[in-house]
Amino acid sequence: MSDIEHDHSHAKDNSLDRLLFFSDGVFAIAITLLSIELHTPHDWDGTAASLWSQGWPGFAAYALSFLVIGIFWTSHRRMFTQIRRFTTGVFLLNLLLLGLIALMPYMTNLLYIDGPRGEAFLIYLGMVSIVGLVQGAMLAWAVFVNRAVDPAVHVFRRITAILSAGLLPGLISAGSMLMFGVVGGGVDLWLPSAFFVVAAVILITRGWAEKRYR
């Protein structure tokens, strides 16, 4: 009995791996559910031109949300290459993040109904911003509270990584969403351009930090 207990006490803790597998599953399901609310227009005459002219807001909303979830998944994957161990704080914030990601198909349905104008657009934009902030908070918690990242990493690299995780996905997603509004005629071009410029500055700064503080 003592040998079994000894073996279990030295078994590798795979909690972080299981957390990642679960997270990947939620991202995959959310991105798959985006297409469920895409329906053929009621008065479609069977031509490709008519399908596009009547259905383009739905296709655009689907493509936008696919991009948004893909960006957040990519950022999430990059974050967990830095996080070395499972902690309760990271688990709870990650669970909150996944809960918000799971709402993305519902939020996309609002765009299917209302298009790039109206309050639905602002609700969607707010959701994307909240997801980004939660993701950044998760990495900040792992870095400064739980000390769950490699201590040899320079503090400036940690800060730029947190900014990238928290702001970059939201900025790129919001810029893409606002481009959706530009196409729909409800948003000026300068607004999404400003989001993309800020995102580029953060991305360049992080790249410089990774090269400067290896």
Side-chain angles (χ1 to χ4, degrees):
M1 184 67 179
S2 59
D3 290 339
I4 295 175
E5 291 177 351
H6 176 78
D7 289 341
H8 279 294
S9 67
H10 287 80
K12 178 184 177 182
D13 183 3
N14 63 350
S15 298
L16 191 60
D17 292 335
R18 295 186 66 183
L19 179 64
L20 285 174
F21 291 146
F22 176 69
S23 300
D24 287 345
V26 172
F27 277 102
I29 292 171
I31 211 168
T32 302
L33 291 177
L34 293 176
S35 63
I36 287 182
E37 294 300 328
L38 282 174
H39 302 295
T40 305
H42 295 297
D43 54 350
W44 180 45
D45 61 7
T47 65
S50 174
L51 180 63
W52 175 251
S53 64
Q54 297 179 56
W56 77 264
F59 293 130
Y62 166 79
L64 173 63
S65 288
F66 195 97
L67 174 65
V68 167
I69 296 176
I71 290 171
F72 279 116
W73 176 78
T74 301
S75 180
H76 186 273
R77 178 184 58 80
R78 287 176 59 90
M79 283 174 51
F80 275 90
T81 61
Q82 303 176 58
I83 298 174
R84 303 295 184 181
R85 58 187 176 86
F86 179 92
T87 68
T88 302
V90 169
F91 166 72
L92 293 176
L93 286 169
N94 189 71
L95 201 61
L96 175 59
L97 173 68
L98 297 179
L100 295 172
I101 289 294
L103 284 175
M104 290 303 297
Y106 173 75
M107 293 296 169
T108 305
N109 189 44
L110 298 180
L111 294 186
Y112 291 158
I113 297 171
D114 203 29
R117 301 175 183 176
E119 292 188 14
F121 184 79
L122 297 178
I123 293 171
Y124 189 105
L125 183 59
M127 172 61 76
V128 171
S129 302
I130 292 171
V131 173
L133 291 176
V134 170
Q135 189 162 254
M138 180 168 61
L139 182 56
W141 188 276
V143 170
F144 296 113
V145 178
N146 291 147
R147 310 291 182 181
V149 300
D150 187 352
V153 177
H154 192 276
V155 65
F156 192 67
R157 284 186 60 185
R158 297 183 188 183
I159 292 172
T160 55
I162 291 169
L163 289 176
S164 296
L167 300 180
L168 197 57
L171 287 168
I172 295 175
S173 302
S176 301
M177 289 170 56
L178 290 170
M179 285 301 296
F180 182 32
V182 170
V183 174
V187 177
D188 293 330
L189 182 59
W190 69 267
L191 191 55
S193 300
F195 277 86
F196 287 132
V197 168
V198 175
V201 170
I202 293 175
L203 191 61
I204 292 170
T205 303
R206 182 178 181 180
W208 175 83
E210 289 181 348
K211 291 182 178 179
R212 176 65 175 81
Y213 300 105
R214 290 183 176 180

